């Protein structure tokens, strides 16, 4: 993949209008999905005998870890679909180790929307189907709730979250392109404004 700018595009630094509503809404949603996850863990441990089987006892934790890996895997697959170079890493600078994917290359705004929203739509959709088809408080139902809450939490967590990316890009014209490179800040490209 080439990192050269198209001839009719120029770099620019967009200004973001976050507004007064977005940060508190994301904060409330983050707390809500953390509480849903914690509630599912609590219900799971109180409705299933953890002394009977160690695998059942650690199943919720394995589900959370697997959900994070699947989330990042979907980002990587969709990024590859659009011809991006994909690299994986773990962010250890914050309070917890968080996996991430960089989809390096030039993308349209719409392609970045699809890359950012694919894990949320795909994994949450599968989790909702599992929840709908399972008996209330059964192991599949609880694991579906854990996948749903963990994946949604992962999509809204942090300033560089998938949802924050979509929110920022939504404010830009559809002709904007994005260029990502490993270890470098994201670059935004717009149609040239001078002759």
């Amino acid at each position: 993949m080439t990192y050269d700018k198209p001839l009719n595009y120029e770099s620019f630094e967009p200004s973001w209008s976050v507004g007064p509503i977005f940060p508190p809404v994301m904060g409330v949603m983050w707390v809500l999905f953390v509480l849903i996850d914690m509630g599912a863990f609590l219900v799971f441990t109180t409705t299933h005998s953890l002394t009977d089987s160690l695998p059942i006892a650690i199943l919720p934790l394995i589900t959370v870890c697997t959900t994070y890996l699947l989330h990042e895997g979907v980002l990587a697959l969709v990024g590859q679909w659009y011809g991006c170079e994909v690299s994986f890493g773990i962010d250890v600078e914050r309070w917890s180790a968080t996996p991430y994917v960089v989809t390096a290359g030039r993308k349209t705004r719409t392609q970045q929307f699809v890359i950012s929203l694919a894990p949320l739509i795909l994994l949450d959709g599968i989790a909702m189907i599992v929840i709908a088809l399972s008996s209330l408080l059964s192991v599949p139902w609880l694991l579906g709730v854990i996948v749903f809450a963990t994946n949604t939490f992962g999509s809204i967590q942090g300033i560089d979250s998938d949802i924050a990316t979509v929110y920022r890009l939504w404010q830009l014209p559809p002709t904007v392109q994005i260029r990502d490179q490993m270890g470098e800040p994201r670059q935004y490209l717009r149609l040239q404004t001078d002759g």
Side-chain angles (χ1 to χ4, degrees):
M1 168 166 282
T2 179
Y3 294 115
D4 297 330
K5 290 189 297 187
L7 295 177
N8 57 342
Y9 280 81
E10 64 184 359
S11 297
F12 77 106
E13 189 59 40
S15 59
W16 307 114
S17 172
V18 174
I21 303 286
F22 187 74
V25 167
M26 289 296 102
V28 167
M29 286 180 63
W30 184 86
V31 168
L32 174 67
F33 287 107
V34 167
L35 290 175
I36 289 171
D37 234 358
M38 291 172 60
F41 270 86
L42 181 64
V43 169
F44 189 90
T45 58
T46 58
T47 58
H48 297 84
S49 175
L50 301 181
T51 57
D52 291 343
S53 170
L54 182 61
I56 291 294
I58 61 171
L59 197 55
L61 182 59
I62 291 170
T63 302
V64 168
C65 294
T66 303
T67 301
Y68 272 109
L69 294 175
L70 286 172
H71 179 100
E72 299 305 325
V74 170
L75 286 171
L77 287 173
V78 176
Q80 281 185 322
W81 175 265
Y82 285 123
C84 297
E85 253 182 66
V86 175
S87 57
F88 297 86
I90 297 179
D91 180 2
V92 292
E93 293 180 17
R94 298 184 186 145
W95 60 274
S96 66
T98 307
Y100 66 88
V101 167
V102 174
T103 52
R106 195 173 59 236
K107 304 163 276 223
T108 66
R109 185 184 84 151
T110 302
Q111 288 171 334
Q112 185 62 56
F113 280 156
V114 173
I115 292 169
S116 295
L117 292 175
L120 185 67
I121 294 167
L122 180 66
L123 296 178
D124 279 4
I126 291 169
M128 294 300 285
I129 291 169
V130 169
I131 292 167
L133 297 177
S134 302
S135 303
L136 186 64
L137 302 181
S138 67
V139 171
W141 186 89
L142 288 167
L143 295 179
V145 169
I146 290 170
V147 168
F148 177 77
T150 302
N151 188 56
T152 306
F153 160 77
S155 294
I156 62 176
Q157 173 187 0
I159 194 161
D160 290 327
S161 70
D162 300 331
I163 296 300
T165 295
V166 168
Y167 179 78
R168 287 191 300 264
L169 290 176
W170 194 263
Q171 299 175 51
L172 299 175
T175 56
V176 165
Q177 293 190 356
I178 298 97
R179 187 171 87 174
D180 288 319
Q181 293 184 31
M182 186 64 176
E184 294 186 23
R186 175 170 278 169
Q187 190 176 29
Y188 297 90
L189 307 169
R190 65 179 172 200
L191 290 171
Q192 285 182 336
T193 54
D194 55 291

